[in-house]
Amino acid sequence: MTENSQQPQSEPTPELPTQYAPAEVEGALYERWVERGYFAADAKSDKPAYTIVIPPPNVTGSLHLGHAFQHTLMDALTRRKRMQGYESLWLPGMDHAGIATQNVVERELGKEGKSRHDLGREAFVERVWQWKEEYGGKILGQMRRLGDGVDWSRERFTMDEGLSQAVQTIFKKLYDDELIYRAERIINWCPRCLTAISDIEVEYQDDDGELVSMKYGEGDDTIVVATTRAETMLGDTAVAVHPDDERYRHLVGRRIKLPLTNRTIPVVADTHVDPEFGTGAVKVTPAHDPNDFAIGQRHDLESLTVMDERGVITVHGPFEGLDRFEARSAIVAALRAEGRIVAEKRPYVHSVGHCSRCKTTLEPRLSMQWWVKVGPLAEAAGDAVRDGRVSIHPADMSKRYFDWVDNMHDWCISRQLWWGHRIPVWYGPEGEVVCVGPDEEPPGTEADGWKQDPDVLDTWFSSGLWPFSTLGWPERTPDLEKFYSTDVLLTGHDIIFFWVARMMMFGLYAMDGEVPFKTIALTGLVRDQFGKKMSKSSGTAVDPLDWMNAYGSDAVRFTLARGANPGTDVPIGEDWVQASRNFANKIWNATRFALMNGATVEGPLPDPSEMTATDRWILSRLNKTVAEVDAFYDDFQFAKLSDALYHFAWDEVFDWYVELSKTTFMAGGEPAKVSGRVLGEVLDVTLRLLHPIVPFVTETLWTTLTGGESVVIAEWPTDSGFRDAGAEREIETLQQVITEVRRFRADQGLQPGQRVPARLTLDGTALAPHEAAIRQLLRLQPEGEAFAATATLPVAGATVALDLSGTIDVVAERKRLAKDLAAAEKEKAQANAKLGNEAFLAKAPDQVVDKIRTRLAKADEDIARIQAQLERLPEA
């Protein structure tokens, strides 16, 4: 805990408004922070660096709860480090989001009755840039609303000039090192977006389809195969069976008739076939299935493409021109007419891949594409975690990471789009292939017969360079020297494969083995209050801006942080945001009370010998909380640190210390001055501890309390080591007495503010100095001449005798309690009877028996409680 970290006050502390109104202060506070340069990082600083790069949101995006969640945590990390004296850089930016952005602009063109082809490539790309300038980046303004402490002077875009140079540089380097190549392979093709997409961008869902078993060949050469995609049979070039399957050994090497076509196809033996599944024979369509493609490679089979890029059949007259799904029905009907259908099962539920962008059913398609040879890159990415250069939090998420990088397939990086980083490869008139770096001229022009590859790079290719390209790579800039490697990558566990592994591979490769980040802190996903996925269709999707408008940004941030257990999904409901708003109001009101009662930060803390036990207790608890919060931050335990701060602030500072100190403040004199200084210290430190999570309310309160310039640049509290176990025990005993008497009062039906005559016997206990506080908090009047103790409570060595004769109807209360006691005893008897019945126990399920045992335990507790209440009541 630091002392005197705030600037001395030069004038009386101004008063706070009676109520906190977030909407009136948040926007102005944020702009003041930015204008004063609090979030700007200096590469020339002697301070140690602390760097986080933001997972770049799509240029098409707007702030959703997932963004708000992760941004809150990243902001908390960087704000704390800034207060700890680090040169803290949180670097913002956006991703060009190839498919998503192109789709948005194409929809806009569609409203005008145009397509991108009407404009041509160059004009279309210019149109996208115009859209980006006008509508893109909406989320950046919303980040300001949330309070993101990012360095806006370093804002980057994945297609700005510097990042484009980085993309070309690494493509050229990978190409020259033979880690990028061009090959014809089966890829995931979206017939709507008209582009390849990577395996990790495929969304699988169970669809109702049909499983059709059909007969190939004639007579003794007949063989039955089954498929869910009958339309692809037009491209079959073999039937495969297992080499050890005796049923088909006579057919291996022979050719059989393919129905509906004028072709014959061979029967091949391949160990990929499972003889136990179905008929043990599979149709082989190398151009339209990845497994079939592999079989075709092994057996030198022809690959026949039977669909165009839009999923329309391109062969065999009767079916040519039909959409793939129309063709499916037509082909099954034609086979049925020829007596070729052996069995049909519909609906047949099976897993089908869909485009993550437009939800269209994908089509496996043989296509010439560009690929990254990931083997050596993925191995390096795995080693960096295994040897401890990069740690993953929580540690059990490491398995998912290794499962991916250890089994990664080569990465298809080309996309058949117009918006994105154009592949820097030119093809010459004589078949030449030339890869051009950022500082090199193309080898020729179109007039000379040279053409640039029309494809663009996968969006994840450029975002994979984000941790170093945003700092100026390939130049060795001061930013790169100061702020790389970055310290923490905080992101959702759902994009380990999309983004985390890509950055690890490229970072280690481009930066000569230097890791892109030292720690990967993985979060869960935000869910609704019932733990279910939020969605617009179900009405559970929430716009965080709506909650910010209603309750303030601090309330949304604190709610999200309190749910942030590492790697675990975060349920959130509006009631919880309301509770966080109440917490902000509680901080506000407690600080107002403190200011009105002489809380101050001026001068050093008094010597402990001058303090009350209550003062020493709260300072001891404060230092323990500082240590606890630091440990939780270092372990990315945001939920635990938020909970620790909540309970310390609300329960210990506001509900106990402030209340216990009221009698001291009312009495005045030197003890009141000492407690005022202690309360000022406690609030000063508590507000600084809370600031990274709830920046706005803490800024207003801290500057008012201390007169300091801004809590953003205040010093982070440290544990001074002060502990007072005796004071902690003393106040715990005091709390026990007050809690027990309050419980008794509530049991007797007394109103919280109702005053009761009482005699306190505190002599010989540590509670003697606290009599005034006990009477104040428990609404206990002096005993008076006519005092008659009708109830006596021995608690923690003290005795509290109460005169309830004028406050409750003893006869009615005894009657009510007797009725409750009879009901509890009846419940106990019934439970005992069942548990004592051997026949019942032999037949009843375990969960039923457990439930009865729970009822018995509850009945015992109720009986003990009611009997204690009856004993405490005076005689009628």
Side-chain angles (χ1 to χ4, degrees):
M1 187 171 61
T2 57
E3 294 185 11
N4 301 320
S5 60
Q6 58 287 321
Q7 299 178 8
Q9 295 171 297
S10 57
E11 57 186 37
T13 302
E15 291 186 2
L16 289 167
T18 55
Q19 290 185 325
Y20 177 50
E24 295 177 11
V25 300
E26 290 180 348
L29 279 182
Y30 186 84
E31 293 309 316
R32 187 165 71 206
W33 292 334
V34 174
E35 288 167 9
R36 292 181 177 180
Y38 294 154
F39 306 139
D42 183 1
K44 297 178 182 178
S45 169
D46 293 332
K47 296 177 182 178
Y50 183 82
T51 315
I52 292 181
V53 290
I54 203 167
N58 286 354
V59 68
T60 59
S62 59
L63 190 74
H64 57 64
L65 272 176
H67 290 129
F69 170 54
Q70 292 181 356
H71 288 204
T72 294
L73 306 188
M74 285 184 278
D75 196 31
L77 291 173
T78 50
R79 284 178 183 268
R80 171 177 175 255
K81 285 296 183 180
R82 187 177 294 112
M83 295 172 75
Q84 287 181 316
Y86 285 79
E87 196 62 38
S88 190
L89 170 61
W90 185 18
L91 193 148
M94 292 184 298
D95 193 288
H96 67 277
I99 296 177
T101 306
Q102 180 158 319
N103 281 347
V104 167
V105 178
E106 285 196 82
R107 282 198 295 271
E108 292 297 312
L109 284 174
K111 295 175 184 176
E112 302 171 16
K114 298 177 182 177
S115 74
R116 60 184 163 118
H117 300 285
D118 295 323
L119 271 66
R121 183 170 193 144
E122 187 174 334
F124 176 77
V125 170
E126 178 59 31
R127 179 71 175 261
V128 181
W129 277 108
Q130 291 172 4
W131 180 91
K132 185 258 181 187
E133 293 304 317
E134 188 172 355
Y135 301 107
K138 176 183 178 182
I139 192 172
L140 299 179
Q142 296 168 338
M143 287 164 54
R144 301 171 89 93
R145 179 67 194 282
L146 185 65
D148 285 7
V150 297
D151 185 347
W152 292 109
S153 69
R154 286 179 166 84
E155 181 189 336
R156 302 305 300 268
F157 179 53
T158 50
M159 282 184 62
D160 67 29
E161 184 177 351
L163 269 64
S164 295
Q165 182 182 33
V167 168
Q168 277 190 271
T169 300
I170 201 163
F171 187 100
K172 171 73 170 172
K173 181 174 170 60
L174 288 163
Y175 182 86
D176 290 346
D177 288 346
E178 298 183 349
L179 292 173
I180 280 183
Y181 63 94
R182 192 170 184 246
E184 193 174 43
R185 301 258 184 94
I186 292 285
I187 47 88
N188 304 296
W189 181 265
C190 177
R192 188 215 165 276
C193 297
L194 300 180
T195 183
I197 67 171
S198 63
D199 291 345
I200 53 178
E201 292 174 297
V202 179
E203 290 183 353
Y204 288 94
Q205 66 183 50
D206 288 340
D207 286 358
D208 286 345
E210 59 182 348
L211 181 67
V212 179
S213 298
M214 47 197 182
K215 185 167 55 177
Y216 287 8
E218 303 287 355
D220 293 339
D221 292 347
T222 297
I223 193 166
V224 175
V225 298
T227 183
T228 58
R229 300 166 65 221
E231 68 279 8
T232 63
M233 61 85 59
L234 298 176
D236 287 358
T237 55
V239 170
V241 298
H242 194 276
D244 299 331
D245 195 330
E246 293 291 342
R247 293 171 295 175
Y248 304 117
R249 182 162 290 178
H250 67 289
L251 289 176
V252 174
R254 298 180 64 176
R255 299 185 71 86
I256 61 174
K257 182 180 178 181
L258 179 66
L260 306 182
T261 71
N262 295 318
R263 295 190 290 117
T264 61
I265 56 176
V267 177
V268 299
D270 195 281
T271 54
H272 170 76
V273 179
D274 179 2
E276 303 298 323
F277 183 77
T279 63
V282 297
K283 60 190 287 297
V284 182
T285 321
H288 293 278
D289 184 273
N291 293 322
D292 293 3
F293 178 77
I295 294 174
Q297 293 280 293
R298 288 193 289 272
H299 297 277
D300 197 25
L301 300 175
E302 184 180 6
S303 294
L304 298 179
T305 298
V306 299
M307 284 181 230
D308 68 11
E309 60 184 6
R310 298 182 183 276
V312 174
I313 302 298
T314 57
V315 298
H316 200 66
F319 311 109
E320 188 173 357
L322 294 180
D323 171 80
R324 53 187 168 152
F325 300 119
E326 295 172 334
R328 181 177 300 173
S329 300
I331 287 170
V332 169
L335 289 168
R336 191 183 298 112
E338 288 190 5
R340 294 280 181 176
I341 299 298
V342 175
E344 297 177 72
K345 182 178 181 181
R346 59 171 70 88
Y348 178 74
V349 179
H350 61 133
S351 182
V352 177
H354 294 259
C355 175
S356 62
R357 300 294 180 185
C358 69
K359 313 308 177 188
T360 299
T361 300
L362 295 172
E363 194 63 42
R365 176 180 171 85
L366 184 62
S367 179
M368 183 68 75
Q369 301 286 344
W370 286 93
W371 304 80
V372 172
K373 186 186 296 183
V374 300
L377 303 174
E379 183 179 2
D383 290 344
V385 175
R386 287 189 170 94
D387 64 25
R389 283 175 290 156
V390 177
S391 62
I392 295 179
H393 285 264
D396 58 9
M397 284 284 179
S398 298
K399 183 180 183 302
R400 294 184 65 181
Y401 176 80
F402 290 131
D403 284 347
W404 179 250
V405 297
D406 293 346
N407 300 286
M408 196 182 296
H409 300 297
D410 283 1
W411 172 19
C412 177
I413 56 171
S414 44
R415 299 290 181 268
Q416 290 64 55
L417 303 171
W418 287 356
W419 171 245
H421 292 282
R422 189 90 173 259
I423 288 177
V425 172
W426 271 254
Y427 305 110
E430 304 300 326
E432 302 96 329
V433 179
V434 178
C435 181
V436 177
D439 300 320
E440 299 172 350
E441 292 294 326
T445 65
E446 287 197 18
D448 301 327
W450 286 87
K451 290 186 177 181
Q452 186 178 359
D453 194 298
D455 290 351
V456 300
L457 288 163
D458 179 8
T459 295
W460 297 103
F461 189 96
S462 52
S463 60
L465 316 182
W466 192 250
F468 54 93
S469 64
T470 52
L471 296 172
W473 188 90
E475 303 297 324
R476 263 337 262 204
T477 62
D479 276 2
L480 195 64
E481 295 287 351
K482 178 73 174 178
F483 297 111
Y484 190 90
S485 298
T486 69
D487 288 87
V488 177
L489 172 71
L490 189 143
T491 190
H493 61 65
D494 57 323
I495 59 171
I496 291 178
F497 320 126
F498 290 92
W499 193 45
V500 178
R502 311 295 195 213
M503 287 189 290
M504 284 287 283
M505 292 191 302
F506 282 165
L508 291 162
Y509 174 74
M511 296 299 292
D512 300 321
E514 197 174 356
V515 297
F517 23 76
K518 302 176 186 74
T519 300
I520 301 169
L522 297 170
T523 70
L525 308 179
V526 178
R527 304 291 190 184
D528 69 15
Q529 59 187 319
F530 306 108
K532 296 180 179 178
K533 183 178 180 180
M534 289 186 173
S535 69
K536 291 181 180 178
S537 60
S538 63
T540 57
V542 173
D543 184 342
L545 293 172
D546 291 341
W547 281 353
M548 288 184 220
N549 291 334
Y551 308 111
S553 297
D554 285 332
V556 174
R557 290 170 62 114
F558 194 70
T559 305
L560 291 165
R562 283 194 81 183
N565 290 298
T568 304
D569 288 350
V570 183
I572 184 172
E574 189 166 2
D575 289 351
W576 305 339
V577 185
Q578 291 174 351
S580 295
R581 185 268 316 274
N582 295 343
F583 179 54
N585 289 341
K586 185 78 169 181
I587 302 169
W588 184 271
N589 292 332
T591 305
R592 285 189 73 246
F593 168 85
L595 290 170
M596 290 187 294
N597 285 275
T600 180
V601 296
E602 292 182 349
L605 277 173
D607 189 85
S609 63
E610 301 175 39
M611 299 179 187
T612 65
T614 308
D615 294 333
R616 297 194 305 276
W617 162 73
I618 198 62
L619 289 176
S620 185
R621 290 294 308 129
L622 176 65
N623 277 284
K624 285 185 177 180
T625 301
V626 170
E628 191 176 29
V629 167
D630 274 332
F632 286 143
Y633 259 117
D634 292 341
D635 198 35
F636 304 98
Q637 296 280 359
F638 296 98
K640 290 182 179 179
L641 74 88
S642 300
D643 221 41
L645 286 169
Y646 176 89
H647 288 295
F648 173 72
W650 192 306
D651 299 344
E652 297 186 281
V653 179
F654 307 148
D655 279 358
W656 283 110
Y657 180 72
V658 168
E659 292 299 321
L660 288 171
S661 299
K662 282 182 178 179
T663 53
T664 303
F665 288 131
M666 286 189 290
E670 194 59 30
K673 291 181 181 179
V674 171
S675 291
R677 179 65 187 90
V678 170
L679 179 54
E681 180 74 7
V682 171
L683 286 175
D684 169 22
V685 173
T686 302
L687 291 170
R688 282 185 277 148
L689 289 173
L690 282 165
H691 172 71
I693 304 291
V694 285
F696 295 107
V697 68
T698 52
E699 172 78 343
T700 304
L701 295 176
W702 188 87
T703 53
T704 303
L705 172 71
T706 70
E709 179 185 337
S710 173
V711 71
V712 176
I713 54 173
E715 187 177 342
W716 181 254
T718 55
D719 177 7
S720 71
F722 177 81
R723 300 288 191 275
D724 192 324
E728 291 199 39
R729 287 193 298 271
E730 183 174 327
I731 301 305
E732 284 171 8
T733 302
L734 176 60
Q735 290 171 328
Q736 184 181 350
V737 170
I738 292 171
T739 301
E740 187 64 27
V741 176
R742 279 176 173 167
R743 183 181 298 117
F744 175 76
R745 286 176 57 107
D747 287 342
Q748 306 312 312
L750 296 176
Q751 295 300 314
Q754 191 171 353
R755 294 196 170 274
V756 178
R759 176 185 299 144
L760 304 184
T761 306
L762 307 175
D763 295 342
T765 73
L767 300 175
H770 302 286
E771 179 169 353
I774 293 173
R775 287 188 177 278
Q776 171 70 22
L777 291 176
L778 291 174
R779 303 295 189 268
L780 303 179
Q781 296 177 179
E783 50 193 279
E785 294 182 4
F787 179 81
T790 58
T792 302
L793 283 73
V795 186
T799 303
V800 180
L802 304 174
D803 182 353
L804 304 177
S805 57
T807 57
I808 61 172
D809 184 336
V810 175
V811 173
E813 187 63 17
R814 280 190 171 277
K815 185 175 180 181
R816 181 184 71 81
L817 289 173
K819 183 178 179 182
D820 290 347
L821 181 62
E825 288 174 337
K826 181 179 180 182
E827 176 75 4
K828 179 178 179 178
Q830 290 174 341
N832 274 327
K834 288 187 177 180
L835 293 174
N837 185 333
E838 295 296 333
F840 170 79
L841 293 177
K843 295 179 181 180
D846 290 344
Q847 61 267 31
V848 172
V849 175
D850 288 342
K851 188 174 181 180
I852 294 172
R853 287 186 177 130
T854 301
R855 284 169 49 194
L856 176 60
K858 176 67 166 53
D860 282 334
E861 289 176 8
D862 289 344
I863 290 168
R865 176 178 55 79
I866 297 167
Q867 286 176 339
Q869 289 176 241
L870 284 167
E871 289 172 6
R872 290 169 178 165
L873 278 175
E875 292 299 324

